[in-house]
């Protein structure tokens, strides 16, 4: 079998899932778009949106809550008790990038530029000399939000020519304030130009726009690469790859009333800068939703405690595949490879929440799905990143296991994974959510 062919598993997804991931990445240039894309897919599967300000009922079926760039979705099987435990897949919708400042119009020497701030731990050089668009949401004076997406070449952060920096190939150093402000035209700078332009793109009156949450994105489309198309390159795989897989897995369980658990998707915003937000994993959103679901089914605190005690969360985020040019940066006995299946992420200092019990749960899900899996730990001399996993475990007292897909170029404007790994992950998530 060619490595480009779908690897047979016991799950419902194959290479078509990876094709669909490419469409999801393109449609989701911001967390707000990612949430809208996820909500649309869930609604097609029969889930319905509920408002946090409304009373919730005890009926079975699929529901979801949207708050900004976060979405929590769950499916209550017919006959679920108030103390039925949850099976949660956690992920995040945000990616490191460049975000527009409150006073965006700037420029010098007859160049018009957009004032941006660096969001998260992005690889700055990957934003240089690349065609960039703008996306996010505009907020009107009545409090309503409107998505906007200029998905065509609009901006560019030009690098200094080698003739003016002869030492650049010995070490590029970028000043975040001076060197990262993109160009979007020539001429005089006029306050309000950018927002007026974006309001027109969204079909809005610029006078009504009083707030915005906007960010830059690369407009190159996701693409397969490699001799056998066994690799996938695209933007925002960290962590929309996990969000997409979790949405697909949860949607596939709609109508399943034989489930012993209540399956949940928890896709948070602001993971890349610490999760400290009302839409982040540090916030109360997930706990509120789970508790309200217990109480809507007639439960009391005792039922809530029983449900949480039996709950398990898979925190799904991307991890590092072994890099052929920098293999010494990886642990010598743990070399995750692309198309090798999802990875189990371990750090004994609790940068990841996995323990031996969690390993067994994940291994059982992969075995059930017929999916291979790998282990990841950091090199002892390399600082380890973290995820929503430890936060979720500590905040809610929920057993949490950190997993994901191995990729290269993490936090680049364009990342790369194996073309098989997205659907292998999705099939493992289905098996986990089924219990």
């Amino acid at each position: 079998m060619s490595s480009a062919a779908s690897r047979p598993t016991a799950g419902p997804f194959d290479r078509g899932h990876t094709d669909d991931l490419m469409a999801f990445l393109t449609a989701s240039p911001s967390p707000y778009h990612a949430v809208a894309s996820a909500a649309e897919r869930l609604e097609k599967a029969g889930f319905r949106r509920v408002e946090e300000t409304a009373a919730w009922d005890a009926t079975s079926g699929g529901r979801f809550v949207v708050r900004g760039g976060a979405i929590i979705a769950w499916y209550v099987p017919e006959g679920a008790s108030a103390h039925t435990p949850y099976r949660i897949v956690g992920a995040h919708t945000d990616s490191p990038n460049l975000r527009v400042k409150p006073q965006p119009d700037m420029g010098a020497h007859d160049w018009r530029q957009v004032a941006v701030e660096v969001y998260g731990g992005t690889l700055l050089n990957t934003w240089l000399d690349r065609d960039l668009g703008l996306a996010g949401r505009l907020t009107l004076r009545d409090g309503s939000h409107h998505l906007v997406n200029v998905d065509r070449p609009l901006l560019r952060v030009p690098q200094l020519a080698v003739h003016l920096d002869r030492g650049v190939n010995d070490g590029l150093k970028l000043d975040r304030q001076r060197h990262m402000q993109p160009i979007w035209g020539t001429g005089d700078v006029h306050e309000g130009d950018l927002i007026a332009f974006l309001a027109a793109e969204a079909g809005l009156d610029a006078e009504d726009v009083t707030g915005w949450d906007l960010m830059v994105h690369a407009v190159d489309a996701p693409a397969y690469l490699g001799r056998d198309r066994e690799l996938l390159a695209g933007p925002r795989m960290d962590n929309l790859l996990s969000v997409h897989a979790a949405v697909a897995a949860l949607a596939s369980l709609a109508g399943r009333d034989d489930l012993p658990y209540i399956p949940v998707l928890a896709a948070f915003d602001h993971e890349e800068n610490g999760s400290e937000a009302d839409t982040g994993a540090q916030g109360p959103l997930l706990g509120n939703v789970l508790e309200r679901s217990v109480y809507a089914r007639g439960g009391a605190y005792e039922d809530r405690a029983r449900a949480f005690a039996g709950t398990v969360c898979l925190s799904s985020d991307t991890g590092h595949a072994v890099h052929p040019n920098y293999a010494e940066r990886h642990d010598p006995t743990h070399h995750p490879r692309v198309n090798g299946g999802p990875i189990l992420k371990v750090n004994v200092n609790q940068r990841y929440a996995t323990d031996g019990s969690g390993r067994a749960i994940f291994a059982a899900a992969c075995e059930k799905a017929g999916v291979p899996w790998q282990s990841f730990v950091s090199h002892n001399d390399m600082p380890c990143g973290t995820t929503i996993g430890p936060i979720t475990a500590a905040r809610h007292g929920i057993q949490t296991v950190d997993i994901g897909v191995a990729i290269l170029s993490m936090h680049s404007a364009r990342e790369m994974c194996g073309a098989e790994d997205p659907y292998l992950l999705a099939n493992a998530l289905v098996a986990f959510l089924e219990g």
Side-chain angles (χ1 to χ4, degrees):
M1 179 186 297
S2 161
S3 61
S6 293
R7 181 181 305 198
T9 74
F13 301 112
D14 57 19
R15 185 64 173 263
H17 174 88
T18 306
D19 294 336
D20 189 61
L21 169 62
M22 297 167 73
F24 185 80
L25 294 172
T26 299
S28 307
S30 77
Y32 314 107
H33 289 83
V35 164
S37 298
E40 180 181 7
R41 290 160 184 259
L42 290 168
E43 286 178 334
K44 287 181 179 178
F47 286 68
R48 61 184 174 90
R49 179 170 177 171
V50 294
E51 301 298 331
E52 292 184 81
T53 54
W56 294 0
D57 60 43
T59 57
S60 60
R63 298 170 176 78
F64 64 89
V65 165
V66 170
R67 183 190 289 187
I71 182 169
I72 312 291
W74 64 104
Y75 182 81
V76 180
E78 185 73 37
S81 69
H83 59 264
T84 297
Y86 299 95
R87 280 286 175 105
I88 305 168
V89 177
H92 65 89
T93 60
D94 61 318
S95 301
N97 55 18
L98 307 176
R99 303 207 171 186
V100 176
K101 290 183 176 180
Q103 295 178 318
D105 298 292
M106 63 173 293
H109 308 292
D110 204 39
W111 293 107
R112 287 192 298 157
Q113 296 173 274
V114 176
V116 296
E117 188 173 4
V118 177
Y119 176 86
T122 190
L123 284 169
L124 294 177
N125 65 296
T126 66
W127 295 94
L128 302 179
D129 299 331
R130 187 184 290 274
D131 295 339
L132 305 171
L134 266 180
R137 67 178 183 179
L138 301 173
T139 303
L140 305 190
R141 62 180 70 254
D142 64 3
S144 62
H145 302 297
H146 295 263
L147 298 183
V148 61
N149 181 14
V150 183
D151 194 29
R152 62 180 186 272
L154 177 69
L155 307 167
R156 188 177 179 89
V157 183
Q159 189 171 188
L160 187 64
V162 67
H163 312 76
L164 304 178
D165 185 4
R166 293 292 184 180
V168 64
N169 290 321
D170 297 322
L172 174 65
K173 185 167 179 59
L174 295 169
D175 184 298
R176 292 168 176 249
Q177 181 63 41
R178 293 185 297 126
H179 299 153
M180 297 306 299
Q181 310 305 321
I183 287 170
W184 77 302
T186 60
D188 296 334
V189 176
H190 299 286
E191 185 177 349
D193 271 0
L194 181 70
I195 299 306
F197 166 76
L198 294 172
E201 288 283 318
L204 302 171
D205 186 338
E207 293 298 317
D208 291 332
V209 178
T210 56
W212 50 86
D213 301 280
L214 301 165
M215 57 208 70
V216 173
H217 68 276
V219 299
D220 341 27
Y224 289 114
L225 67 146
R227 186 193 67 180
D228 297 323
R229 291 163 55 88
E230 68 264 49
L231 302 171
L232 175 66
R236 300 176 294 281
M237 290 186 184
D238 180 9
N239 188 31
L240 294 188
L241 188 159
S242 293
V243 174
H244 174 258
V247 170
L250 181 61
S252 75
L253 299 179
R256 288 279 304 276
D257 290 326
D258 59 335
L259 300 173
Y261 301 97
I262 296 173
V264 179
L265 156 71
F268 300 103
D269 198 358
H270 297 297
E271 189 274 345
E272 296 294 356
N273 60 6
S275 295
E276 292 185 342
D278 70 317
T279 53
Q282 294 265 29
L285 182 58
L286 176 61
N288 287 349
V289 168
L290 299 184
E291 289 178 354
R292 290 186 67 178
S293 178
V294 168
Y295 300 147
R297 282 175 278 123
Y301 182 81
E302 181 70 10
D303 299 291
R304 180 260 187 218
R306 292 174 67 187
F308 277 43
T311 293
V312 182
C313 174
L314 288 189
S315 164
S316 182
D317 205 343
T318 55
H320 303 294
V322 61
H323 197 303
N325 300 336
Y326 301 91
E328 73 280 0
R329 302 294 182 97
H330 300 266
D331 182 85
T333 59
H334 294 78
H335 282 175
R337 57 185 180 84
V338 297
N339 292 323
I343 56 175
L344 179 73
K345 302 160 78 170
V346 177
N347 179 266
V348 295
N349 293 302
Q350 287 297 293
R351 301 293 285 173
Y352 303 132
T354 306
D355 62 9
S357 175
R359 175 189 172 100
I361 291 171
F362 179 64
C366 290
E367 181 178 355
K368 177 181 177 182
V371 168
W373 60 279
Q374 311 172 80
S375 293
F376 170 83
V377 295
S378 292
H379 190 291
N380 284 342
D381 287 332
M382 295 287 168
C384 181
T386 190
T387 68
I388 65 165
I391 295 170
T392 303
R395 177 167 181 81
H396 304 293
I398 289 172
Q399 181 178 13
T400 304
V401 188
D402 272 294
I403 66 161
V405 161
I407 70 172
L408 291 181
S409 305
M410 187 185 294
H411 287 196
S412 168
R414 193 169 176 85
E415 298 160 324
M416 186 171 75
C417 72
E420 293 181 352
D421 285 326
Y423 73 80
L424 293 176
L425 172 65
N427 285 333
L429 295 184
V430 171
F432 166 74
L433 291 174
E434 287 179 328

